[in-house]
Amino acid sequence: MQDIKKLHIKINRLVDSLFAWNYKTAFKWRGLEFSDYRVYDENDDAKYIDFLASAREWKLLIKRFEEERELAVFFLLDISESMYFWDERKKIDTLIETFSFLAFAANKNNDKIGAIVFNENGFELVKLGKWVKNIHKILEVVEKKSFPKIENFSPNTLLSYFHNLPIKNSLVFLLTDKMNDFDDKNLKIASLKNDFVYINIFDYFENNLLHCICKSIKFY
């Protein structure tokens, strides 16, 4: 896998050039905060008139609000053995770069970031937190690769655990190469509480290889 410090510098520069201060929350109307005053216009909603401020300034003023920008961004990261397929550019490298890009973009907006890192055996939770150190903590768990074994663990066991976490109205990214292993019912439940984004990570060579094997099996 790529050196984490070099990756940090590379991704941070990319985020600075593409996302800096142009980040919008996924949830509209999740919260409004007061910005400033402006003069009332006939097309404005009268309920936003501030009569005290208007009396002080001797002109009709309304309050302006901005959408609350702070958000919780949570990741479900699949680091099972299939993610290490091939010798050079592995799927795990794509996962790390994708996660890092999204996480550093969220960090620029001062959002909380957390994750569940999982493989075939089990998982580890990194609680929501701010600042780059939490991103590094998640990447360290990815590097570690090993978790205590859980009997009969599966992607749906992971989603059941995730449903019980106090996480809602958040932006959740699932990064995996085995979307078909996740039950539709569990995915729908996850989508009810949060804005859920699925990112399917695949390898063209691996997909073509599997396709050829399947064709050969049918032939014989």
Side-chain angles (χ1 to χ4, degrees):
M1 286 189 287
Q2 301 182 33
D3 181 82
I4 295 300
K5 288 184 179 179
K6 290 180 180 178
L7 179 64
H8 179 173
I9 296 171
K10 174 184 174 183
I11 296 294
N12 230 1
R13 285 175 179 169
L14 186 59
V15 169
D16 280 336
S17 62
L18 294 180
F19 269 169
W21 317 120
N22 191 32
Y23 185 96
K24 297 293 183 182
T25 65
F27 291 92
K28 299 301 178 186
W29 311 109
R30 65 181 296 272
L32 296 174
E33 57 183 14
F34 173 73
S35 174
D36 58 12
Y37 293 101
R38 67 172 173 80
V39 177
Y40 176 78
D41 182 88
E42 62 181 7
N43 295 318
D44 291 327
D45 192 332
K47 70 181 180 181
Y48 294 120
I49 295 175
D50 189 318
F51 291 100
L52 289 176
S54 299
R56 287 196 303 268
E57 298 295 326
W58 288 89
K59 53 188 173 184
L60 205 55
L61 299 175
I62 67 167
K63 291 181 177 180
R64 293 179 60 191
F65 296 89
E66 289 184 353
E67 184 183 355
E68 185 182 349
R69 288 161 60 89
E70 188 173 305
L71 184 70
V73 183
F74 201 84
F75 295 87
L76 303 176
L77 304 176
D78 182 356
I79 62 165
S80 51
E81 285 301 318
S82 60
M83 297 296 291
Y84 292 83
F85 177 82
W86 205 230
D87 292 328
E88 298 176 5
R89 174 74 183 187
K90 297 179 174 64
K91 286 182 285 184
I92 190 67
D93 296 320
T94 302
L95 179 143
I96 290 173
E97 286 189 4
T98 304
F99 160 73
S100 299
F101 182 79
L102 294 169
F104 283 121
N107 180 67
K108 287 288 182 184
N109 193 54
N110 202 32
D111 294 331
K112 292 181 179 179
I113 300 164
I116 297 177
V117 185
F118 67 97
N119 60 15
E120 301 91 340
N121 298 317
F123 64 89
E124 184 169 332
L125 170 68
V126 179
K127 293 182 179 180
L128 287 165
K130 290 187 177 182
W131 318 123
V132 171
K133 65 180 182 181
N134 218 48
I135 300 176
H136 287 169
K137 187 175 181 180
I138 294 169
L139 289 171
E140 285 171 6
V141 175
V142 171
E143 288 274 358
K144 187 171 67 174
K145 290 176 57 177
S146 60
F147 310 116
K149 186 172 178 59
I150 299 174
E151 289 298 322
N152 301 317
F153 181 75
S154 72
N156 292 303
T157 308
L158 174 80
L159 284 182
S160 296
Y161 174 80
F162 175 73
H163 297 334
N164 293 319
L165 293 176
I167 298 173
K168 62 180 180 179
N169 296 337
S170 300
L171 183 56
V172 180
F173 291 96
L174 169 59
L175 281 70
T176 182
D177 66 342
K178 50 181 75 64
M179 282 302 305
N180 292 334
D181 290 353
F182 289 86
D183 183 69
D184 286 343
K185 180 181 177 182
N186 277 316
L187 289 174
K188 286 178 181 177
I189 293 172
S191 300
L192 290 175
K193 292 174 60 179
N194 300 281
D195 204 15
F196 216 81
V197 180
Y198 320 128
I199 300 179
N200 183 34
I201 297 177
F202 64 93
D203 179 273
Y204 282 109
F205 178 79
E206 180 186 28
N207 287 358
N208 290 334
L209 182 63
L210 289 172
H211 180 68
C212 291
I213 291 172
C214 290
K215 285 181 68 176
S216 299
I217 292 172
K218 287 181 181 178
F219 179 79
Y220 287 108

